[in-house]
Amino acid sequence: MADWQTTVAPPALARLLATARLPEPPGAARRPAYRALAARIRLLVSEGRLPVGARLPAERELALALGLSRTTVATAYEALRAEGYLHSRRGAGSWTALPEGSAPPSDALHPVPPDEQGNILDLGVAALPAPQPFLSAAAARAVDQLPAYAAGHGHYPTGVPVLREAVARRFTERGLPTTPDQILITIGAMGALHLVRQALLGRGDRVAVEAPSYAHTLQALRLSEARPVPVPLLDASPAPGRGGGPRWDLAEWRRVLGGAAPKAVYVIPDFHNPTGALIDEEQRRALLAAARSAGAVVLVDETTAELGWGVPADVPLPRPTAALDRAAQVVTVGSAGKLLWGGLRIGWVRAAPALVRRLATTRVYSDVGAPVLDQLIAAELLAEDLPAVRAHQLTRLRDTAEALTTALREQLPHWRFAVPPGGLSFWVATGGVSGTALARAGERSGVRLAAGNRFGSDGAFEHHIRIPLTVPAPAVPAAVRRLAEAAARAEDDGGWRGTDDNQPLAV
Ligand SMILES: Cc1ncc(COP(=O)(O)O)c(C=O)c1O
């Protein structure tokens, strides 16, 4: 059973069941009501909309809420138990589970090495090439500045002052007044998250996370023996034509914050990885208030915050989350890795000066600081080239997103996705094909893929993949052809993990 148990009330489960759209299997036939009910519960669990370990209503109560017979519900529960999607114990009730072998992959998804990139298309890593010629020009200017630094020891545990100033200025421009002493420069956002985790979280502490969330943070939390508590995003893969896009389920956040007492909350409100969702200020304020009441630190990951390629220029972006509630405990991490270049390995923490000093003290025992030359290059790009670099990267992402939308609709019309307002990827429901099987088949079709279950804290999202917007637009149709080929192989290999229970359920 999960470490903390959500209890799903009968009306809440009835509402969720009504939204559980089953994938169209080949040759679907009508099935008895108990199989349709079991299939919908299975789908909700495997898509992460019902967290693993959620306690389901007693058979009689659910039967009443759904207008079904108790035997139908009992038989559905029995079928789910037999498949490993439900565990029950007398006196403790029934709670959702995933079948054995559904754990999220624990190995890293390795980038395809440059010498193999002719044979295999890398759709695993969501990071763009450097914006050129801006990077090379900034590097040349940084080299010119190097002699002034070379005269000293070169160790800057809090960061080189010009970069701290440039990062603070950017926060201020985005609506969050910031001074350089609130900034710590790190080795990428991963380095920032590592330092913050080390300082604020102990073994066994709970951290409430969005489901889905960024795969490497989830894995890093597991490795440090923190306990992620997933809170499903609403409408992460909305039905075609439904507006709105993904958003937080604030009622569930309040329940988790009140009931599970997490030490921290980890969220990606600005062009979320993997869904690209942008959370509005009202939702951000509500989550901050709930976290404040619960005494939880809010760790905001802004790595993707500058990637609003789908937001019209005259629409203001939400302010950084930390600007919205000065009484909440907010720590923000960010990165140069997505807008500038991942190869710089520059990230940052924005926090109270006292925490910045504490983090700088502890990092002296690990990485000591980020390389000076890389910091100078990042400072040059931020101070001199930001508008031009942004325009360059956002145009590229927008063009790829348009090409991907067209190619997916043409070649894989049963795959479901929302076109997000920004970010680095599409979050795609594969119409019942196992993302794991698809990733395996992809290796044979010449495409490396991130299966959806990497983005769930407990192995959910088996029927999803993340498609990054990294392929240049003209190459997208061929990339999607490889995906379609991999999907056909996965289905042939028995990678159909959907359901043959496709009949509508009267709820
Ligand atoms: C949300 C999020 N956080 C952190 C990272 C890691 O960033 P960095 O490469 O700066 O370590 C990424 C990279 O994809 C990300 O998307």
Side-chain angles (χ1 to χ4, degrees):
M1 200 192 314
D3 157 63
W4 181 74
Q5 198 167 33
T6 300
T7 298
V8 189
L13 185 54
R15 272 196 304 277
L16 270 175
L17 285 166
T19 67
R21 290 163 32 90
L22 290 169
E24 284 290 338
R30 283 187 72 79
R31 295 281 183 238
Y34 83 87
R35 292 190 65 178
L37 174 59
R40 278 172 163 72
I41 293 177
R42 197 163 55 214
L43 184 73
L44 289 170
V45 177
S46 65
E47 285 197 347
R49 287 192 278 157
L50 253 183
V52 171
R55 189 180 161 139
L56 295 193
E59 292 161 4
R60 195 167 40 83
E61 290 170 18
L62 185 60
L64 214 61
L66 298 179
L68 295 171
S69 76
R70 182 172 171 181
T71 314
T72 299
V73 176
T75 319
Y77 276 18
E78 191 49 49
L80 289 165
R81 268 192 292 273
E83 294 167 345
Y85 284 92
L86 196 69
H87 292 172
S88 305
R89 203 173 53 230
R90 196 176 294 279
S94 296
W95 58 94
T96 54
L98 281 166
E100 263 176 49
S102 309
S106 55
D107 55 324
L109 189 73
H110 293 290
V112 176
D115 56 340
E116 285 175 33
Q117 280 172 5
N119 308 324
I120 186 149
L121 175 68
D122 194 343
L123 293 184
V125 175
L128 292 176
Q132 287 289 44
F134 303 101
L135 177 72
S136 296
R141 297 197 303 272
V143 167
D144 289 343
Q145 295 163 19
L146 201 56
Y149 292 87
H153 51 56
H155 290 185
Y156 294 88
T158 51
V160 167
V162 280
L163 181 56
R164 296 178 83 194
E165 280 157 24
V167 172
R169 204 174 320 117
R170 186 66 194 138
F171 272 113
T172 307
E173 281 165 9
R174 292 176 52 224
L176 175 60
T178 300
T179 49
D181 62 347
Q182 292 173 288
I183 301 295
L184 177 86
I185 304 299
T186 58
I187 310 277
M190 284 318 285
L193 290 165
H194 175 78
L195 287 172
V196 172
R197 206 174 57 242
Q198 221 177 23
L200 300 184
L201 296 175
R203 230 166 109 183
D205 282 340
R206 295 190 186 118
V207 182
V209 296
E210 293 153 315
S213 185
Y214 176 52
H216 288 183
T217 301
L218 295 176
Q219 182 63 359
L221 287 173
R222 283 189 288 263
L223 289 175
S224 64
E225 295 184 46
R227 293 178 292 180
V229 180
V231 185
L233 268 181
L234 290 175
D235 272 343
S237 319
R242 284 247 312 272
R247 63 195 186 285
W248 289 336
D249 181 347
L250 286 163
E252 189 58 20
W253 275 106
R254 286 191 194 100
R255 206 165 32 224
V256 166
L257 279 159
K263 189 90 173 273
V265 160
Y266 169 76
V267 284
I268 314 169
D270 306 276
F271 313 116
H272 174 261
N273 186 351
T275 64
L278 178 65
I279 303 297
D280 65 28
E281 284 196 4
E282 196 183 322
Q283 284 223 317
R284 293 176 198 224
R285 273 204 196 87
L287 180 63
L288 289 168
R292 181 157 38 78
S293 310
V297 176
V298 181
L299 181 50
V300 180
D301 187 336
E302 290 193 351
T303 297
T304 44
E306 299 267 10
L307 304 180
W309 47 261
V311 181
D314 55 344
V315 173
L317 287 175
R319 278 169 292 165
T321 306
L324 303 177
D325 186 338
R326 296 304 168 89
Q329 297 180 71
V330 183
V331 176
T332 306
V333 305
S335 175
K338 302 304 172 190
L339 192 66
L340 305 183
W341 186 41
L344 287 174
R345 304 303 311 136
I346 294 293
W348 49 82
V349 176
R350 182 199 182 275
L355 180 59
V356 166
R357 285 194 298 274
R358 195 171 134 208
L359 297 176
T361 306
T362 54
R363 82 178 308 181
V364 165
Y365 308 113
S366 55
D367 64 21
V368 182
V372 171
L373 186 57
D374 297 36
Q375 295 190 63
L376 295 177
I377 299 171
E380 276 296 316
L381 286 167
L382 284 178
E384 301 298 327
D385 301 319
L386 193 61
V389 166
R390 275 197 65 185
H392 180 281
Q393 299 292 58
L394 297 196
T395 301
R396 182 181 157 131
L397 288 167
R398 195 179 303 119
D399 290 350
T400 295
E402 275 171 24
L404 187 59
T405 304
T406 306
L408 283 174
R409 286 187 183 146
E410 276 171 18
Q411 298 187 47
L412 288 156
H414 53 295
W415 286 15
R416 198 152 46 89
F417 59 95
V419 178
L424 276 165
S425 52
F426 282 13
W427 179 240
V428 179
T430 54
V433 181
S434 151
T436 313
L438 198 54
R440 227 178 296 123
E443 294 290 329
R444 285 184 286 143
S445 302
V447 56
R448 181 153 304 163
L449 286 173
N453 59 0
R454 289 183 177 274
F455 303 87
S457 60
D458 42 29
F461 306 112
E462 177 57 30
H463 303 129
H464 284 76
I465 58 166
R466 182 188 72 170
I467 307 183
L469 302 174
T470 45
V471 175
V476 164
V480 174
R481 258 195 305 283
R482 284 203 207 184
L483 278 178
E485 206 179 294
R489 272 185 204 258
E491 286 187 39
D492 287 349
D493 292 350
W496 173 263
R497 284 271 303 263
T499 172
D500 58 355
D501 299 315
N502 200 36
Q503 92 181 28
L505 180 72
V507 288

